[in-house]
Amino acid sequence: MVSLFDILGPTMVGPSSSHTAGACRLGLMARAILGGTPQRARIRLHGSFAATGEGHGTHRALVGGLIGLAPDDLRLREAYDEALRAGLVWEFEEVDLGDDAHPNTAVIEVSRDGDTTTVRGASVGGGRIEVTEVDGFAVALGGGYHTLVLLAHDEPGTIAAVAGMLAGHGVNLATMRVDRTGRHKDALMTIEADEPIGDEVLDAIREFPWLRWARRIEKIS
Amino acid sequence: MHRSIESLIRESDETGRSLATVVLEAEAAESGVPAADIRARIARTLSVMRSAIDEGLKGHTRSPSGLTGGRARKLWENGPRILGPRVTTTLARAIATLEVNAAMGLIVAAPTAGAAGVLPAVLVSVGEFAEMDEERLVDAMLVAGGVGGVIAHRASLAGAEGGCQAETGTAAAMSAAAVAWLHGGTNEQVATAVALTLQGMLGLICDPIGGLVEIPCIYRNASAAMQAIAGAEMAMAGLDFPVTADEVIDVMGEVGRRMPSAYRETAGGGLATTPSARRLVQLQPRTQPAGISR
């Protein structure tokens, strides 16, 4: 759904909504999915991101997003210095992901305290983004909602249990998506909600015996 | 958001509410955000737009590529010679915002960063010349946003999808609607301003030199601002256009889809591949890629 502020905005650091603001948001999403500022990042850029990213501040914006700078934060100009201060070590590579990949795609591998996660996403125009893969699982996350990502063992009743838990705490679901490696193997569930997902819901979900991990992603600006 | 200019106008006509109110109430209903909060956020957006113009007119901004900076101030100081001061002032303001954008300054992408100069230049200038108060300008932004929403739904806002007509063309159409509305135009005149302005932007390719939204973008933003004022002026004088605003928007979408990819923000054609452009890009010092930082 297009909001009025997709048309009259975003308020952002230039020069390009897709190559700068969108790139920053992809960085923010990777950081949120990891659950904090990464210590290391390996960022692979495809298509137009690779070809014209340099002049559009795409690299800086991605690094800035990884350390938590928003698309309208003027410190994006000095994102490298800020990132060094934040303890981030990063590297960029160019990659060809094939003709099917969106021209503004980044694959971001981030790690922190031994945890590593790989996030693939694209900047799809006007600063809007779509994260399409988390650790090899297909997802569809725009960052515009309060989001919950769960990796669980594929068991019957999982979806109902999670949905019931959220409903019990007054959290309205906007979208829900499940992808799994196979029956009774790993399943990744992503839930986008209208309301913030509180600590007690998250703690309760983490008690489910079949849960591998659960991450909460704050709605990004 | 409304999916046609026609439905926007019909709702306004049938309920007796202004176009601005129709857009505001639709947004409040869809987002669940109170109308007063939406207005406040638009007012903040307007102040960012003003700041970018002021910054650009100082003339200190330079983009990292070295391609842009200082032109808005030059026009501001040297004009007007041919056009009246109002138009020249508007042109300088449009360029100012795009120069700030290219220099990684703070701007409002309305509808995109590459077309960010048009709406602020037109609104701030018209607001100043006609001595409009801030609340009226917020209303005008709502009207502009409503028009942009229709174009996003029916065609495209992205140069990579629909060429420059989708970016600066949309910005011009949004601005023309805002100006016609600010000057007390009827709903019909607002729609005609959209049609007249967008027809003048049809077919515009997106061919940024070096792939950067700098040149010709800063000049195209100025041209689009002038087109917007012209469209509003003609509509307010009672001129008609035989094709409806929605139909012109649909045509813009169709032209964009049929445009070869060389003309859709790939720097693979148009001005971007001229010998002059190639020389210019070669002359720019290439900054070190980020690489590994240890």
Side-chain angles (χ1 to χ4, degrees):
Chain A
M1 186 181 70
V2 174
S3 133
L4 187 62
F5 293 101
D6 290 330
I7 310 293
L8 300 175
T11 296
M12 54 168 279
V13 171
S16 165
S17 25
S18 56
H19 284 68
T20 320
C24 176
R25 282 180 171 158
L26 286 172
L28 281 171
M29 279 293 276
R31 176 178 187 269
I33 292 167
L34 181 68
T37 299
Q39 290 149 344
R40 295 195 67 92
R42 175 175 170 236
I43 306 165
R44 281 169 286 169
L45 300 178
H46 164 81
S48 179
F49 260 11
T52 69
E54 199 184 306
H56 284 133
T58 303
H59 301 68
R60 282 167 210 271
L62 276 159
V63 166
L66 286 175
I67 58 164
L69 302 184
D72 64 349
D73 194 320
L74 281 170
R75 287 176 295 172
L76 285 178
R77 293 173 182 169
E78 292 91 36
Y80 296 155
D81 293 339
E82 296 285 338
L84 288 175
R85 276 196 283 278
L88 173 67
V89 174
W90 70 91
E91 58 184 308
F92 282 102
E93 286 169 29
E94 293 189 5
V95 67
D96 184 351
L97 299 169
D99 292 342
D100 293 341
H102 188 284
N104 294 326
T105 297
V107 181
I108 309 169
E109 189 184 313
V110 278
S111 58
R112 164 190 163 90
D113 297 337
D115 283 341
T116 296
T117 193
T118 303
V119 174
R120 173 172 166 161
S123 173
V124 297
R128 285 174 296 116
I129 58 162
E130 187 170 81
V131 169
T132 53
E133 257 182 54
V134 174
D135 292 339
F137 290 98
V139 297
L141 299 174
Y145 291 95
H146 304 282
T147 305
L148 191 60
V149 181
L150 312 169
L151 185 67
H153 192 250
D154 178 39
E155 302 270 355
T158 304
I159 294 172
V162 172
M165 181 67 73
L166 289 163
H169 286 83
V171 177
N172 189 44
L173 304 193
T175 74
M176 186 170 202
R177 188 186 162 110
V178 182
D179 188 36
R180 62 180 189 182
T181 50
R183 193 173 170 182
H184 298 312
K185 292 185 179 166
D186 283 342
L188 189 96
M189 191 187 306
T190 55
I191 291 162
E192 292 183 310
D194 292 326
E195 288 81 21
I197 294 154
D199 288 340
E200 50 183 311
V201 194
L202 192 63
D203 290 345
I205 287 173
R206 282 182 172 146
E207 293 297 313
F208 290 160
W210 31 257
L211 189 90
R212 297 264 302 277
W213 52 255
R215 286 184 188 130
R216 174 176 51 190
I217 307 170
E218 302 297 337
K219 183 175 173 176
I220 61 172
S221 59
Chain B
M1 306 218 64
H2 282 257
R3 297 183 165 198
S4 69
I5 302 292
E6 191 252 327
S7 83
L8 199 59
I9 282 176
R10 183 160 21 93
E11 191 180 332
S12 169
D13 286 345
E14 284 174 1
T15 61
R17 292 175 300 161
S18 76
L19 285 178
T21 307
V22 170
V23 173
L24 179 64
E25 290 182 356
E27 178 68 15
E30 280 171 27
S31 66
V33 177
D37 293 359
I38 294 171
R39 294 189 69 93
R41 185 165 165 194
I42 293 178
R44 288 198 299 278
T45 301
L46 250 174
S47 80
V48 173
M49 288 176 162
R50 288 185 199 282
S51 303
I53 287 174
D54 293 345
E55 187 61 32
L57 289 178
K58 284 181 197 160
H60 307 311
T61 56
R62 291 292 181 279
S63 66
S65 71
L67 290 177
T68 51
R71 290 186 177 90
R73 186 181 174 89
K74 195 170 181 181
L75 181 59
W76 185 254
E77 288 178 343
N78 289 342
R81 291 155 189 244
I82 302 159
L83 299 166
R86 291 184 172 194
V87 176
T88 305
T89 298
T90 309
L91 298 179
R93 284 179 166 142
I95 292 172
T97 300
L98 255 272
E99 286 188 324
V100 169
N101 180 55
M104 288 191 88
L106 197 64
I107 55 98
V108 180
T112 64
V118 185
L119 186 62
V122 172
L123 269 187
V124 167
S125 298
V126 169
E128 180 184 295
F129 304 141
E131 294 178 11
M132 300 285 179
D133 67 33
E134 203 70 3
E135 286 303 301
R136 289 279 289 167
L137 292 183
V138 169
D139 284 338
M141 289 268 281
L142 283 163
V143 173
V147 169
V150 170
I151 300 178
H153 176 74
R154 301 182 77 98
S156 172
L157 306 178
E161 284 177 41
C164 195
Q165 53 169 3
E167 293 201 32
T168 59
T170 299
M174 290 165 62
S175 305
V179 173
W181 191 87
L182 273 176
H183 281 277
T186 63
N187 288 346
E188 205 55 46
Q189 285 172 321
V190 170
T192 305
V194 169
L196 279 171
T197 302
L198 198 55
Q199 63 82 28
M201 305 293 288
L202 284 182
L204 203 55
I205 61 176
C206 178
D207 52 351
I209 289 177
L212 305 171
V213 279
E214 298 193 38
I215 298 174
C217 317
I218 63 164
Y219 295 114
R220 293 235 175 105
N221 271 255
S223 315
M226 200 155 79
Q227 192 80 251
I229 297 170
E233 182 90 301
M234 291 188 283
M236 292 302 291
L239 274 60
D240 64 331
F241 194 66
V243 182
T244 68
D246 289 322
E247 288 171 325
V248 178
I249 292 168
D250 291 345
V251 167
M252 190 272 273
E254 181 206 324
V255 172
R257 284 190 294 277
R258 295 170 78 158
M259 209 176 255
S261 77
Y263 303 132
R264 289 192 281 164
E265 209 179 342
T266 56
L271 295 172
T273 50
T274 56
S276 298
R278 290 183 197 278
R279 268 197 303 277
L280 186 65
V281 172
Q282 263 175 8
L283 285 174
Q284 304 309 315
R286 198 175 152 85
T287 52
Q288 280 297 309
I292 301 176
S293 171
R294 293 187 197 282

